[in-house]
Amino acid sequence: MAARLLAGLMLACLAAPVSLAAPALQVALAGDHRALRASTQDVVPGSFEQELAERLAASLQRPVAVGDSAAADLIIGPQEQGAIFYQSEMAALTAAQGGIERWDQLREKPFCVTQGSPYGPQVVERFGGRMREYPSAAHALIGLKLGECQAVVDDNRLLADIAPLPEWQRYNRLLPAFAEVVVTLRAATNEAALQTQVGERLETWRRDGSLDQLIQHWIDEVAFQAYVLADTLDCH
């Protein structure tokens, strides 16, 4: 817990003072899927993408308004253009004993996935799996522990961090990442000057490790919320 608090304090250092006189940076989040969704909105407000938007706005010394505005200055999420801030291949986590060992063994078997995940339709189409959707990655992980599915399908970057944790030793078989299916999140705008600024900041954060730190914060949040959910189930 102390490590999570320290990480939060370190991430806060990314933010610069915001000029209230500056116009708000209007940000829209693309699509329905949120990478590294830790829990439902009422438990863990916001998302990885939303926090990135807030930090980008702060670095530009502008307040931020995140929504679905058609007139947004900046679009964040899965799209073809823009500066990349997150990328991962599809992966699956399954039981250490008696779990599936290959992707094709998901045929006619249920798999857990977060709502709106681009991986769900891919597994159905390519391997004939039966999709079960959950409100967050943490909930999908618990679906695996409850036996509601044969595997949880999510980002390789997330699942590779989850698998070695002690509480997942019975569910730590990680199928090889399926490199043909990749999620790429970008920050894009039609304003050339703003796109340059956003790209420069993301590149700076990538070089100094701040971007990886933000990503790791949300991976840790998913792991923590899954732990809380499992603990709650054990108490009933």
Side-chain angles (χ1 to χ4, degrees), residues 57-169:
S59 74
L60 296 168
Q61 298 187 325
R62 293 172 64 176
V64 64
V66 179
D68 298 318
S69 172
D73 303 308
L74 186 68
I75 308 295
I76 285 182
Q79 52 196 325
E80 296 299 322
Q81 304 296 324
I84 296 173
F85 63 88
Y86 181 80
Q87 193 170 59
S88 184
E89 304 113 327
M90 180 174 75
L93 193 66
T94 185
Q97 299 293 327
I100 64 170
E101 300 179 2
R102 304 187 313 273
W103 284 99
D104 59 6
Q105 290 178 329
L106 277 173
R107 181 165 301 280
E108 299 300 324
K109 292 184 173 66
F111 66 94
C112 298
V113 70
T114 56
Q115 290 174 353
S117 170
Y119 300 135
Q122 290 288 336
V123 174
V124 172
E125 179 181 348
R126 292 170 182 265
F127 305 110
R130 293 189 285 111
M131 179 168 54
R132 290 181 63 104
E133 291 186 299
Y134 295 80
S136 74
H139 286 85
L141 284 162
I142 295 304
L144 174 62
K145 280 194 171 183
L146 290 175
E148 296 173 349
C149 58
Q150 292 293 308
V152 58
V153 178
D154 211 302
D155 295 340
N156 183 55
R157 188 158 188 176
L158 170 66
L159 298 182
D161 263 37
I162 295 288
L165 297 177
E167 59 267 32
W168 289 94
Q169 60 183 339

Side-chain angles (χ1 to χ4, degrees), residues 2-236:
R4 294 175 68 246
L5 292 174
L6 178 61
L9 290 173
M10 294 176 67
L11 285 171
C13 295
L14 287 174
V18 175
S19 172
L20 298 179
L25 182 70
Q26 301 288 334
V27 179
L29 302 182
D32 298 325
H33 177 60
R34 298 288 166 258
L36 311 179
R37 168 65 80 184
S39 188
T40 54
Q41 185 74 7
D42 59 327
V43 175
V44 182
S47 65
F48 162 50
E49 295 92 336
Q50 181 173 332
E51 185 169 356
L52 180 77
E54 292 168 355
R55 295 185 183 283
L56 281 171
S59 74
L60 296 168
Q61 298 187 325
R62 293 172 64 176
V64 64
V66 179
D68 298 318
S69 172
D73 303 308
L74 186 68
I75 308 295
I76 285 182
Q79 52 196 325
E80 296 299 322
Q81 304 296 324
I84 296 173
F85 63 88
Y86 181 80
Q87 193 170 59
S88 184
E89 304 113 327
M90 180 174 75
L93 193 66
T94 185
Q97 299 293 327
I100 64 170
E101 300 179 2
R102 304 187 313 273
W103 284 99
D104 59 6
Q105 290 178 329
L106 277 173
R107 181 165 301 280
E108 299 300 324
K109 292 184 173 66
F111 66 94
C112 298
V113 70
T114 56
Q115 290 174 353
S117 170
Y119 300 135
Q122 290 288 336
V123 174
V124 172
E125 179 181 348
R126 292 170 182 265
F127 305 110
R130 293 189 285 111
M131 179 168 54
R132 290 181 63 104
E133 291 186 299
Y134 295 80
S136 74
H139 286 85
L141 284 162
I142 295 304
L144 174 62
K145 280 194 171 183
L146 290 175
E148 296 173 349
C149 58
Q150 292 293 308
V152 58
V153 178
D154 211 302
D155 295 340
N156 183 55
R157 188 158 188 176
L158 170 66
L159 298 182
D161 263 37
I162 295 288
L165 297 177
E167 59 267 32
W168 289 94
Q169 60 183 339
R170 294 175 57 193
Y171 303 91
N172 62 4
R173 176 178 289 160
L174 188 65
L175 298 191
F178 195 75
E180 293 180 45
V181 181
V182 177
V183 162
T184 301
L185 305 183
R186 305 172 187 261
T189 174
N190 290 325
E191 301 176 34
L194 178 58
Q195 186 68 64
T196 298
Q197 289 177 311
V198 167
E200 288 175 348
R201 280 156 176 77
L202 289 174
E203 182 56 33
T204 296
W205 294 347
R206 185 176 290 106
R207 288 198 306 266
D208 68 16
S210 299
L211 184 56
D212 277 340
Q213 187 181 67
L214 179 62
I215 292 168
Q216 191 63 51
H217 166 75
W218 282 96
I219 289 174
D220 292 345
E221 190 64 46
V222 171
F224 177 72
Q225 292 301 325
Y227 177 84
V228 170
L229 285 171
D231 190 55
T232 301
L233 289 170
D234 289 342
C235 292
H236 288 80

